[in-house]
Amino acid sequence: MKSKLTAVALAAIVVAGTAAATVPASAAPAKAAAPARCHTADLKAGFATGDDAKPEMGQSKKQTQAYIWFTNRSKHTCTLSGFAGVDMVGAQKTDGTWSLARSSKKPEKVTLGQGDTVDFSITLLPVAKSTPQKEKFVPSKFLVTPPNETTHFTLKWPFGGQILKQDGATHPGTYVNPVGL
């Protein structure tokens, strides 16, 4: 039925003196589906440890940043958007686990092709060695959950130092920033 209607429509155009090429709707290119969200199984993660990426844990006058990366190890393109969940596990018996607060920065969607990497930063507030022990949090490992996932990576803290313990603060000096920013 479609071919008869197409033929009639083309004939009408030619009779009117205007020739035009038409493409049946069935031959139009299909829109590519948007990439799916990256799942924990699609990714690998780690701390950026290059000289320019190491946090300045030996100073206590200002905040510093540590960077964690995600690499798409799957065979498909996927997206990440939002904040990773970050729980720091302390080395001292009194440290426990500290779930980091999120910054006020607005997340953006990041598309990762196969083998692509994106990172996010953790803003840290180091303290002096002379700070009383009860005010220090000594990081041992980080439990890092990609945005919108429930399964985490366990990363050993490679930088040493101590962080001002503010796990109950409303606006702590240590917090996580969105992926890609």
Side-chain angles (χ1 to χ4, degrees):
M1 183 67 148
K2 265 189 177 179
S3 60
K4 285 184 181 179
L5 288 176
T6 303
V8 170
L10 283 173
I13 291 171
V14 171
V15 168
T18 308
T22 60
V23 178
S26 60
K31 264 190 172 178
R37 174 173 58 85
C38 298
H39 297 282
T40 305
D42 297 328
L43 304 168
K44 58 183 176 178
F47 279 103
T49 57
D51 286 337
D52 60 339
K54 290 181 184 176
E56 299 176 65
M57 296 304 293
Q59 59 82 32
S60 59
K61 295 182 184 348
K62 61 181 180 173
Q63 291 171 306
T64 187
Q65 260 88 41
Y67 294 88
I68 295 176
W69 49 262
F70 291 123
T71 297
N72 180 1
R73 66 181 188 160
S74 74
K75 296 194 183 304
H76 61 273
T77 298
C78 61
T79 63
L80 286 172
S81 180
F83 292 82
V86 178
D87 294 329
M88 294 191 304
V89 178
Q92 306 174 115
K93 290 180 184 178
T94 57
D95 285 340
T97 300
W98 177 0
S99 294
L100 296 185
R102 296 175 173 181
S103 74
S104 60
K105 293 180 181 178
K106 299 290 181 216
E108 296 177 7
K109 185 181 275 189
V110 178
T111 301
L112 296 176
Q114 183 180 1
D116 288 348
T117 298
V118 67
D119 65 10
F120 67 94
S121 64
I122 299 172
T123 300
L124 305 161
L125 184 57
V127 295
K129 292 183 181 192
S130 61
T131 302
Q133 201 64 30
K134 66 181 182 177
E135 295 177 25
K136 292 180 186 179
F137 186 94
V138 181
S140 170
K141 58 186 171 181
F142 281 55
L143 309 178
V144 179
T145 308
N148 304 305
E149 287 292 296
T150 57
T151 306
H152 67 263
F153 295 99
T154 301
L155 306 176
K156 185 177 181 214
W157 175 247
F159 305 114
Q162 301 95 26
I163 300 166
L164 182 61
K165 191 170 189 173
Q166 296 180 309
D167 53 345
T170 305
H171 298 287
T174 296
Y175 51 87
V176 65
N177 293 298
V179 171
L181 296 180

